[in-house]
Amino acid sequence: MKGIYTALVASAITGAFAAPSPIEQGPITARAAAAACATPVTLSGNPFASRTIYANKEYSKEVVAAASAISDSSLAAKALKVADVGTFLWIDTMARISVVEENLKDVGCNQIAALVIYDLPGRDCAAKASNGELAVGDIATYKSQYIDPIVAIFKKYPNTAIALVIEPDSLPNLVTNSDKQACKDSATGYKDGVAYALKSLNLPNIAMYIDAGHGGWLGWNDNLKPGAKGLADVYKAAGSPKQVRGVATNVAGWNAYDLSPGEFSKATDAQWNKAQNEKLYVSLFSPELKSAGMPSQAIIDTGRNAVTGLRKEWGDWCNVNGAGFGVRPTGSTGNTLVDAFVWVKPGGESDGTSDTGATRYDSYCGKEDAFKPAPEAGTWNQEYFEMLVKNAKPSF
Ligand code: BGC
C-alpha cells in the first residue's frame, strides 16, 4: 500500500513519552484459549481502554516460524515475543475471508479482534505495489463477495469486540492524487465501496476507524480541510454510522508519534505543514473532522516507527531500511484524542517487491532508502523482520 503524497512528515518517541508496557499473553506456543464474553458486546467510548488486541494466529504463525529460523538464540528469543503482540489481520483478498472465523472464535472477553478491510476495486490507485484483485468498476463483487460475507461472519460473533481499519489509502488518495488517471477512474468505486462497508459493518460489537493517511499526507495546511471533508462526505453518505469512532493514521507508516522537532521540520517546504509528527497531525485533523461532521478519535500505527531519520523524503513508503518495531499496542495513550497505539502493518510483511521485472513493481521499492531484496507486498521478508526486532524501541 501507500500512494504518492504531495508531501510528508515523521517523528519519534521522545523521552517525554512514557513507553507503555508490552501486551503479554504468554508464550504463543502454549497459549490457552481465553474465555469469550457471555453476553453481546456493545462498544461505545474507547474500545481499547479495557481490552488488549488479540494476537491473531496468522501473524503469530509467521513470527514463530521466523523465530525458529534464527540461529542467534538471544535474537530468536526476542523475535518469539513478537508473536504475542496483538496486530491487525488484513483481509486483503476474498480468499482471505476464510481465516477470519478461526481467529474470532479464539478472542477472549478482555480482548478485541483487529482487522483491516482492504479490497476495493482498483486498489492502491497511486502506486503499484498493492494493486488488488478487483478491477475498477467491479463494485458489485466488492459488495456481494467481499463485504457481505465478512458481515455474515461478524454477525455470528456478537459477543466478540472487533476493531476495523477501513480501506487504507483510498480516500486520502482521492484528496491528493486525483490528478492520476487510475485514481480518477477509482474515485466512484472508492466512495461507494467505503460507504457500503461502513453501513454494512455498523454492528454494536464493532468499532470502525477510516484510514486518514498521516501527517505528511493530509497534514499539509492545504490538505487538512479537503481531507476531513473527503472522509466526512463518505461517512455521511453511509448514513453517519454510529460505530465509526474516527480515523486510523500512519497505517504501514514510519512517522514518529511525538518527535519534536519533527523529522522533516527542516525540509524546505516544512513551513506548509504543521503536522510534523502524528500527535500534531491528530491535534490538527481531529477538529477539522469534527467541524466536517465526523467522529474524530484516532488510532495510530506505531508498528514500525521506532527509528527516525531513515527516509530521504517524507513520502518514501516502501520497506524503509533501518526501521524498528515501535511502541507496543496499548489503549493508554495519555492523549484524549488517541484511542490507541496499534500495530496495523504486520512487521515483517513486505510493502512491495523490489523485483523490477514484476507487474506490481513500484519504483518507490527500488529507492535508495528501501530495503532490498524485498518480496511481493504482504509476503514475509525474514531479514527485514530480524532488522525490526534488532532495532525495536522499546526493545524486546
Ligand atoms: C499488502 C497486503 C498485505 C498488507 C499487510 C499490504 O501492503 O498489499 O497484501 O496484507 O500489506 O502486510
Side-chain angles (χ1 to χ4, degrees), residues 34-58:
C37 294
T39 53
V41 169
T42 299
L43 297 179
S44 66
N46 181 0
F48 300 96
S50 56
R51 298 177 182 88
T52 56
I53 296 177
Y54 169 69
N56 71 73
K57 295 175 187 176
E58 315 314 309

Side-chain angles (χ1 to χ4, degrees), residues 1-2 62 88-93 96 116 118 123-124 129-131 252 317 344-352 360 376-379:
M1 57 161 283
K2 287 305 165 190
E62 286 179 318
F88 278 66
L89 174 62
W90 290 58
I91 316 177
D92 62 334
T93 57
R96 189 73 169 165
V116 181
Y118 191 53
R123 196 176 71 192
D124 206 16
S130 285
N131 290 169
W317 52 267
V344 183
K345 176 75 187 182
E349 293 185 7
S350 175
D351 297 313
R360 298 202 303 171
E376 283 285 345
T379 58

Side-chain angles (χ1 to χ4, degrees), residues 147-343:
I147 296 295
D148 291 354
I150 294 172
V151 172
I153 294 172
F154 288 169
K155 283 190 171 157
K156 289 166 71 181
Y157 293 86
N159 297 7
T160 301
I162 299 170
L164 300 177
V165 165
I166 306 294
E167 295 290 356
D169 296 352
S170 58
L171 301 182
N173 268 329
L174 299 189
V175 177
T176 64
N177 288 314
S178 53
D179 55 322
K180 291 192 161 55
Q181 193 57 45
C183 290
K184 245 179 234 162
D185 296 343
S186 299
T188 310
Y190 281 14
K191 289 182 204 163
D192 189 6
V194 171
Y196 186 80
L198 297 176
K199 202 179 197 147
S200 313
L201 294 161
N202 189 40
L203 304 172
N205 55 323
I206 293 182
M208 290 182 275
Y209 298 86
I210 306 173
D211 186 74
H214 59 95
W217 191 345
L218 298 185
W220 295 89
N221 301 352
D222 287 349
N223 292 347
L224 286 166
K225 271 187 204 302
K229 185 179 179 326
L231 268 58
D233 283 351
V234 175
Y235 163 77
K236 287 185 241 174
S240 304
K242 218 174 140 198
Q243 299 307 116
V244 173
R245 268 297 275 176
V247 295
T249 85
N250 208 36
V251 167
W254 314 93
N255 292 347
Y257 174 61
D258 62 356
L259 180 74
S260 185
E263 195 175 337
F264 291 94
S265 55
K266 297 219 165 59
T268 50
D269 54 3
Q271 58 183 311
W272 309 113
N273 188 324
K274 298 187 189 71
Q276 292 286 331
N277 61 42
E278 289 302 291
K279 188 178 182 186
L280 287 168
Y281 175 44
V282 168
S283 74
L284 293 162
F285 197 58
S286 172
E288 296 293 350
L289 286 170
K290 227 177 247 161
S291 54
M294 205 193 113
S296 58
Q297 290 302 116
I299 55 174
I300 300 175
D301 191 350
T302 58
R304 304 186 297 182
N305 72 351
V307 185
T308 54
L310 301 170
R311 286 170 294 173
K312 293 262 181 275
E313 290 177 49
W314 210 351
D316 292 353
W317 52 267
C318 193
N319 302 317
V320 170
N321 196 8
F325 282 120
V327 163
R328 295 333 164 244
T330 177
S332 305
T333 67
N335 184 341
T336 51
L337 297 176
V338 183
D339 281 355
F341 299 127
V342 289
W343 285 19

